[in-house]
Amino acid sequence: MVSAGGVGIAAPQVGINRNIVWVKRQDKIGRPNEVYLNLKIVMTSSIIVNFSGDGCLSIPGISGKTERWRAVGIEYDKIDGTHVSEVVDGYTSSQFTAICFQHEYDHLRGILFIDRIVP
Ligand SMILES: [Zn+2]
């Protein structure tokens, strides 16, 4: 995901066929970059939003409006082996962490943001 200068990338984008994702956590203090292993979206909000400015490091120069959930429940493993469940929110232009996780999760399943463009 590329909005605001690149805030996430999935392993398949760099030729690594594994469930590994990196996300810059805009919803956390200091906006740390974190790594997620075996990421799954296990729950979604009932509210869907149109997110303007979806884009991708693998598709430079193009952005668009996509239909996304406002919040998602995710599960993943950390590098130290800890299994984590959390709910991630954020769908505005300055804090779109929920959108980012959906974008990266799509990469793991071969779906690109251009597949989700809405008018
Ligand atoms: Zn992408």
Side-chain angles (χ1 to χ4, degrees):
M1 176 139 208
V2 73
S3 292
V7 293
I9 192 166
Q13 289 178 265
V14 289
I16 300 169
N17 189 23
R18 292 288 185 273
N19 184 333
I20 309 171
V21 160
W22 293 261
V23 171
K24 184 176 187 68
R25 290 295 297 258
Q26 302 171 319
D27 58 333
K28 292 186 177 181
I29 291 170
R31 301 186 165 219
N33 288 296
E34 295 184 350
V35 62
Y36 304 89
L37 311 177
N38 304 315
L39 176 69
K40 276 190 295 191
I41 291 178
V42 296
M43 188 180 69
T44 63
S45 60
S46 56
I47 299 172
I48 291 173
V49 295
N50 285 338
F51 179 72
S52 295
D54 210 331
C56 184
L57 294 169
S58 297
I59 312 170
I62 297 173
S63 66
K65 188 191 295 178
T66 53
E67 199 169 72
R68 301 287 189 181
W69 289 296
R70 183 187 185 279
V72 289
I74 59 173
E75 288 189 11
Y76 55 88
D77 297 313
K78 300 205 297 192
I79 291 280
D80 67 5
T82 314
H83 187 75
V84 179
S85 299
E86 65 173 307
V87 173
V88 180
D89 203 345
Y91 58 95
T92 68
S93 59
S94 59
Q95 201 285 80
F96 47 91
T97 307
I99 311 298
C100 192
F101 274 102
Q102 291 169 71
H103 180 112
E104 303 311 333
Y105 185 64
D106 274 352
H107 273 299
L108 299 173
R109 299 176 301 146
I111 299 167
L112 299 174
F113 84 96
I114 51 175
D115 299 321
R116 296 193 183 278
I117 295 279
V118 294

